Amino acid sequence: MKYLSLIFFMSLLPQYAGKSLSGDGSHPKTFEDIKNEIAGYSDIAKAIIDLAVHGKAQNRSYERLAVFADTVGPRLSGSKNLDAAIKYMFSALQKDGLENVHLEPVKVPHWERGEEFAMMLEPRNHSVAILGLGSSVATPPEGITAEVIVVASFDELHRRAQEAKGKIVVYNQPFVSYGETVRYRSQGAVEAAKVGAVASLIRSIASFSIDSPHTGWQSYQSGIPRIPTACISVEDAEMMSRMSLRGTKIVVYLKMGARTYPDSPSFNTVAEIVGNKYPEQIVLVSGHLDSWDVGQGAMDDGGGAFISWEALSLIKDLGLRPKRTLRMVLWTGEEQGGVGAEQYYQLHKENISNFDIVMESDEGTFKPSGLAFTGNAKARDIIREIMALLLPINITDVFDNADGTDINYWMRDGVPGASLRDDLSKYFWFHHSQGDTMTVQDPNQMNLCAAVWTVVSYVIADMEEMLPSSNHIRCFENLKGERPEPGVRRGLRCQRMRLKRSIKQIINFLRLRRIRVKRSNKGQQGLEQNYIFHLSFYTKPQGNNLRLHIL
């Protein structure tokens, strides 16, 4: 492996980090050049929109999803249904004529809820609808009968800790937002166990309810007793709260047969349209194929998975082939914390500089309003120009902070990320419940979502230059045993410049801009560390990579 070190002054370089070199060694494109390039995609964008919204592909993503959801049903991590779903999609993607269709093996959690039953015995008999939470332990075979204490917050639970011992804690926390309120689902059992409770029942994390419990993943904490935990409906939580406030004694019988098995083999499902100029560079679109074991998983996240498939299908149908590879990944094990995506990241992160953008749709496919984006200011300006191509369907907004469990690993390391932004007003009515079925989906709205997803992903994949990135990685992470130069601290955060050219081209590029370049094979001890950068090159089979290291 070649290893070449260059030293030059810090004040002269940062403005060029993250930019691509043009093929002839000239200056990078100005933003005006990029705007003009994007405007040139107007006809292609209109063709995509026409095909997806008005043409032969109209309603196709909806119809494909309906057949899939009705045939396979819910797809819990580790279940036979998820295995069947992966086999179904592998076959369907091959029949669609996509390229490099393959499965990448991962391990996912395997939990089953078993039989569940809850009954309020005092002050009257009342059947309590429950859904056990993922990873919950079972009750004893005979079940648990205990008095209930109702609290509205963790603070109230801690204040009343002495009352909670030996009881079932019922949380009746108000729904503020999913991000804020979901902590009661994820941490409720742990906090209840800390004060000696024997079980916890948590008001479903839902903005609206028709006596429907909503499930989800929860986590135990080392050293804290593991107690059974489930969600109950908003209605039952509020009823027990009213009873409790009146001083009425409440007794509940709870029986849960949940079991956790060793992790199971599963797969991320991958298909591509291979780029015709920079095939090693990746624009990734995605959704997750797994779901909870209730409903059909049509909304969460069948819709996101199927508009990602639709993006590749539309591009193929139009006879388009972008410069970069457009890769679709259907994640597995997302509902358990993105375990399939984390393993994908570990497998592919050594090529992180080749990932142009990572996109995930996992908040429904209702009426779209735009795109949420995470990246630097220059990249955001480019995304705004791309979104302007969607003016014919009036979906042009760019929002802050892309959201996606499965793409967070990449965004955390500086790769630009995007997520679909749509009308979430009813999303949590159905989320993780029996109500997540095809009845929730609207074919016209899915058409619009597919058009947005396709236009954005295609244009980014076909532009001459990659998006500007603030891609930070660990120094020497992939040097395959190379020892760091003296004076460079292992583990320092550093910036990888996204340049894929020969070393000679890069040196010429730097010199062209009057950046003083000095070759050195010696350690850099004794240099003024406040003003010096260490620029290192190394070669791999995929090409040369440039890294910028702070001394």
Side-chain angles (χ1 to χ4, degrees), residues 37 41 274-281 321-326 458 460-465:
E37 180 185 9
Y41 287 100
V274 178
N276 63 15
K277 188 173 182 179
Y278 309 117
E280 76 285 357
Q281 296 176 5
R321 184 174 291 276
K323 295 181 181 69
R324 291 175 193 82
T325 294
L326 186 58
Y458 176 79
I460 294 174
D462 197 58
M463 292 175 64
E464 185 59 37
E465 294 185 354

Side-chain angles (χ1 to χ4, degrees), residues 58-80:
Q58 184 185 46
N59 299 345
R60 181 169 61 186
S61 59
Y62 173 89
E63 291 164 358
R64 284 173 166 176
L65 176 58
V67 175
F68 171 78
D70 293 342
T71 301
V72 177
R75 307 166 297 280
L76 184 63
S77 170
S79 69
K80 292 181 179 179

Side-chain angles (χ1 to χ4, degrees), residues 116-129:
E116 300 176 325
F117 178 76
M119 175 70 73
M120 185 173 72
L121 303 177
E122 296 183 32
R124 62 180 175 87
N125 284 353
H126 169 71
S127 179
V128 178

Side-chain angles (χ1 to χ4, degrees), residues 233-247:
S233 70
V234 172
E235 291 86 344
D236 280 343
E238 291 187 341
M239 178 186 70
M240 284 190 261
S241 177
R242 292 192 301 271
M243 289 177 172
S244 178
L245 290 172
R246 291 193 291 263

Side-chain angles (χ1 to χ4, degrees), residues 148-440:
V148 162
I149 176 174
V150 183
V151 297
S153 67
F154 289 142
D155 287 342
E156 182 182 355
L157 175 66
H158 298 152
R159 289 196 306 269
R160 301 174 63 190
Q162 294 300 317
E163 300 176 54
K165 188 173 182 180
K167 294 181 180 178
I168 296 173
V169 172
V170 169
Y171 292 95
N172 183 41
Q173 75 289 341
F175 182 87
V176 178
S177 68
Y178 185 77
E180 181 172 343
T181 313
V182 73
R183 62 196 180 106
Y184 287 93
R185 187 189 76 202
S186 59
Q187 304 168 29
V190 167
E191 295 303 315
K194 287 178 180 178
V195 295
V198 295
S200 64
L201 297 174
I202 298 152
R203 170 176 166 157
S204 288
I205 314 303
S207 55
F208 177 77
S209 177
I210 49 172
D211 200 28
S212 53
H214 297 235
T215 189
W217 196 252
Q218 67 90 40
S219 301
Y220 290 116
Q221 186 174 317
S222 178
I224 304 299
R226 299 187 173 199
I227 61 174
T229 183
C231 271
I232 61 176
S233 70
V234 172
E235 291 86 344
D236 280 343
E238 291 187 341
M239 178 186 70
M240 284 190 261
S241 177
R242 292 192 301 271
M243 289 177 172
S244 178
L245 290 172
R246 291 193 291 263
T248 304
K249 180 180 179 181
I250 306 168
V251 176
V252 166
Y253 170 75
L254 176 67
K255 186 173 183 180
M256 297 172 60
R259 293 188 65 181
T260 297
Y261 299 90
D263 286 355
S264 295
S266 188
F267 301 90
N268 292 316
T269 306
V270 183
E272 294 179 338
I273 294 177
V274 178
N276 63 15
K277 188 173 182 179
Y278 309 117
E280 76 285 357
Q281 296 176 5
I282 305 300
V283 169
L284 187 148
V285 294
S286 67
H288 66 86
L289 200 58
D290 67 303
S291 73
W292 280 101
D293 55 341
V294 290
Q296 291 182 306
M299 180 191 74
D300 184 17
D301 181 35
F306 275 67
I307 66 165
S308 295
W309 175 14
E310 185 68 10
L312 271 64
S313 291
L314 290 167
I315 291 168
K316 177 182 67 68
D317 291 349
L318 288 168
L320 301 172
R321 184 174 291 276
K323 295 181 181 69
R324 291 175 193 82
T325 294
L326 186 58
R327 177 180 295 170
M328 179 198 69
V329 182
L330 303 181
W331 310 109
T332 189
E334 187 277 342
E335 296 293 1
Q336 290 68 37
V339 293
E342 195 274 338
Q343 290 169 74
Y344 179 89
Y345 166 78
Q346 294 297 335
L347 181 65
H348 295 279
K349 67 179 181 180
E350 67 178 357
N351 297 316
I352 193 171
S353 61
N354 281 329
F355 280 76
D356 196 355
I357 189 171
V358 288
M359 300 168 59
E360 179 173 21
S361 172
D362 186 21
E363 291 187 328
T365 45
F366 298 110
K367 184 178 179 180
S369 54
L371 201 72
F373 180 74
T374 293
N376 63 34
K378 292 181 179 179
R380 181 177 300 277
D381 289 341
I382 293 171
I383 294 296
R384 286 196 180 99
E385 295 299 317
I386 295 172
M387 290 301 293
L389 297 171
L390 291 154
L391 186 59
I393 51 176
N394 198 31
I395 304 169
T396 59
D397 288 340
V398 177
F399 302 91
D400 291 336
N401 301 325
D403 186 36
T405 299
D406 300 300
I407 60 174
N408 277 339
Y409 305 101
W410 302 92
M411 294 191 296
R412 183 185 59 204
D413 281 347
V415 177
S419 58
L420 185 69
R421 182 65 65 89
D422 62 332
D423 180 7
L424 288 177
S425 60
K426 296 182 180 179
Y427 182 78
F428 293 106
W429 294 14
F430 312 108
H431 182 249
H432 294 184
S433 77
Q434 292 286 5
D436 183 355
T437 68
M438 281 305 299
T439 302
V440 173

